[in-house]
Amino acid sequence: MTQTTEAAAAHRDPRPARSPRIHRAWFVAAVTFVTIVGAAAFRSLPGLLIDPLHAEFGWSRGTIGAAVSVNLALYGLTAPFAAALMDRFGIRRVVAVALTVIALGSGLTVWMTAAWQLMLCWGLLVGLGSGSMALAFAATVTNRWFTARRGLVTGILTAASASGQLIFLPLLSWTVETYDWRPAAVTVALAALAVVPFVWLLLRDHPADVGLKPYGATESVPKPPPVTGAARRTVGVLRSAVRTGSFWLLAGTFAICGASTNGLIQTHFVPAAHDHGLPVTAAASLLAVIGVFDVAGTIASGWFTDRFEPRRLLAVYYALRGLSLLFLPMLLGPSVHPPMIFFIVFYGLDWVATVPPTLALCREQYGEDSAIVFGWVLASHQVGAALVAYLGGVARDVFGSYDMVWYASGALCAAAALMALVIRRRPVQAAPALAV
């Protein structure tokens, strides 16, 4: 072959530089998935601790519920600022510090002797740490590392929370029932610490940090400089959104959503079932099954939201949820039977089915500010959960059972269904965000 022919062949077959077989973005997504799975352990444990702490220390269920409520409230109120923290200090630093704070809070509970220590450790420390790894973590990773497959990655990371609940709930409940609540708290602390090395070694703030393009991108994306005004904008968007009626209706319905899921079922279902003679491990396993159907319900709800009016979907979801809660006191008993399994499957499908239509309404109503507005609506979700986590424990102390809590929550869901229907259908333009 002549030099001319060889040159022509080389010209016809220009081979680009060999790229890694698996893009670094997938390793980042895997670390994010594992982190969120671990975070599910932090949210799974409180409902398992109510009876053991009541038996050992004599604390009322209202007092224990108050610590859980602080945890849930801080989880929600920290979430709108989590993205700002990551923009300012970087994803890796924020998540590593958050995991360490969670491990510290959970580990210190082993030596607590007073209720205020439970408030400090599980309420304040674990609440702040888990709030820093809320939905903003998954959203930030997806937006920075992926141009293609964003929907798939978002769905996988959303499912991570339910997967973590499925893994940790039976394990932690068995640990509490077989040994004590302290080994369960230590398990949560060790799970948090175990993830820190993976976060520090494999997670990077931006593809540009390792000289890569985002997955699916055709051009390199420069790393943005640290943002110092993001928190101010977050508060400014809230100040403008609260002037619209739609915000209060969205926040109100989502507060009831949190009250009837995280605050009620996730916190009080296990002790309520145990009141009726059902073993703790069996009750926790039922709660874990809710997490399985939670994934299917969320995907289906997203499909429905693309095809039906979001307000009507929300009304149907809340109405059916409220109706199921009214029947729950009749289903609780010393064994698992078909009607209870039906309730678990149905409630799992409805658990976070409200998220896609709520997010669609935020996008419709608030445009470019919709993500921040949804962050504040999510905060209302956790505030509602916090209130019911506390009030549910108080009601159990006062009435001797949870029946009144189920009925009141069913009535709240009916109110949420009506609120969803009166959200303005015509898009509104939020006032410009004000500087703080």
Side-chain angles (χ1 to χ4, degrees):
M1 185 181 289
T2 66
Q3 291 183 349
T4 304
T5 306
E6 290 176 354
H11 180 72
R12 286 195 306 270
D13 187 24
R15 297 192 178 182
R18 181 163 254 185
S19 59
R21 189 173 300 226
I22 301 177
H23 196 283
R24 179 69 174 264
W26 293 109
F27 291 104
V28 173
V31 173
T32 305
F33 182 91
V34 171
T35 304
I36 296 174
V37 166
F42 320 143
R43 295 193 298 275
S44 300
L45 188 57
L48 305 177
L49 296 184
I50 293 178
D51 284 339
L53 293 179
H54 173 71
E56 179 170 339
F57 296 105
W59 300 336
S60 70
R61 290 174 175 82
T63 298
I64 302 168
V68 177
S69 72
V70 171
N71 177 295
L72 292 171
L74 286 176
Y75 177 90
L77 294 173
T78 305
F81 297 96
L85 289 171
M86 291 177 186
D87 287 338
R88 180 67 180 87
F89 300 105
I91 300 173
R92 184 170 61 158
R93 291 179 181 176
V94 171
V95 174
V97 171
L99 287 166
T100 304
V101 169
I102 289 169
L104 182 65
S106 181
L108 287 177
T109 58
V110 173
W111 292 283
M112 67 182 178
T113 56
W116 68 266
Q117 295 167 344
L118 179 65
M119 297 275 189
L120 174 64
C121 295
W122 203 263
L124 180 63
L125 294 179
V126 177
L128 287 175
S130 58
S132 298
M133 297 188 304
L135 292 178
F137 176 35
T140 303
V141 168
T142 303
N143 291 340
R144 290 187 181 184
W145 280 89
F146 290 87
T147 298
R149 307 290 187 185
R150 280 182 174 176
L152 173 64
V153 175
T154 301
I156 292 172
L157 296 182
T158 301
S161 181
S163 302
Q165 182 170 293
L166 173 64
I167 294 168
F168 280 103
L169 261 175
L171 172 64
L172 293 175
S173 64
W174 175 82
T175 302
V176 171
E177 195 168 39
T178 305
Y179 299 102
D180 189 17
W181 63 268
R182 287 178 177 83
V186 171
T187 300
V188 169
L190 293 178
L193 287 177
V195 179
V196 173
F198 295 97
V199 169
W200 196 254
L201 294 174
L202 298 177
L203 194 62
R204 289 296 182 270
D205 296 333
H206 196 275
D209 289 342
V210 288
L212 293 175
K213 305 171 187 176
Y215 179 82
T218 57
E219 298 179 356
S220 297
V221 177
K223 182 178 179 179
V227 179
T228 57
R232 184 180 297 114
R233 179 170 179 253
T234 300
V235 176
V237 168
L238 174 66
R239 291 178 62 180
S240 63
V242 295
R243 299 172 183 171
T244 64
S246 296
F247 174 81
W248 292 106
L249 290 170
L250 287 167
T253 55
F254 222 42
I256 293 173
C257 178
S260 56
T261 52
N262 299 78
L264 179 65
I265 297 295
Q266 190 169 44
T267 304
H268 294 293
F269 177 79
V270 171
H274 189 55
D275 283 349
H276 288 77
L278 190 66
V280 171
T281 304
S285 298
L286 290 176
L287 196 57
V289 172
I290 287 180
V292 177
F293 288 94
D294 172 12
V295 177
T298 305
I299 295 172
S301 180
W303 189 87
F304 288 137
T305 302
D306 289 335
R307 291 161 176 79
F308 300 100
E309 218 283 304
R311 298 178 312 142
R312 295 181 180 178
L313 284 177
L314 282 179
V316 171
Y317 294 158
Y318 285 121
L320 292 176
R321 182 183 298 180
L323 186 64
S324 67
L325 286 172
L326 295 178
F327 282 97
L328 182 56
M330 295 179 280
L331 302 179
L332 292 171
S335 62
V336 178
H337 46 83
M340 173 57 76
I341 295 175
F342 177 81
F343 171 85
I344 293 298
V345 172
F346 177 84
Y347 213 85
L349 293 172
D350 194 83
W351 184 275
V352 291
T354 56
V355 172
T358 301
L359 185 54
L361 287 170
C362 285
R363 190 180 301 116
E364 176 186 287
Q365 301 284 332
Y366 299 102
E368 293 181 356
D369 290 335
S370 61
I372 296 176
V373 172
F374 180 72
W376 287 110
V377 171
L378 177 64
S380 74
H381 180 281
Q382 294 304 114
V383 170
L387 287 173
V388 171
Y390 170 66
L391 295 176
V394 172
R396 171 61 177 80
D397 291 331
V398 172
F399 299 106
S401 77
Y402 283 99
D403 289 357
M404 186 62 65
V405 181
W406 309 128
Y407 297 140
S409 298
L412 282 175
C413 288
L418 296 175
M419 291 165 64
L421 290 175
V422 299
I423 296 173
R424 291 183 60 180
R425 187 171 185 178
R426 187 179 65 180
V428 297
Q429 184 65 40
L434 300 178
V436 179

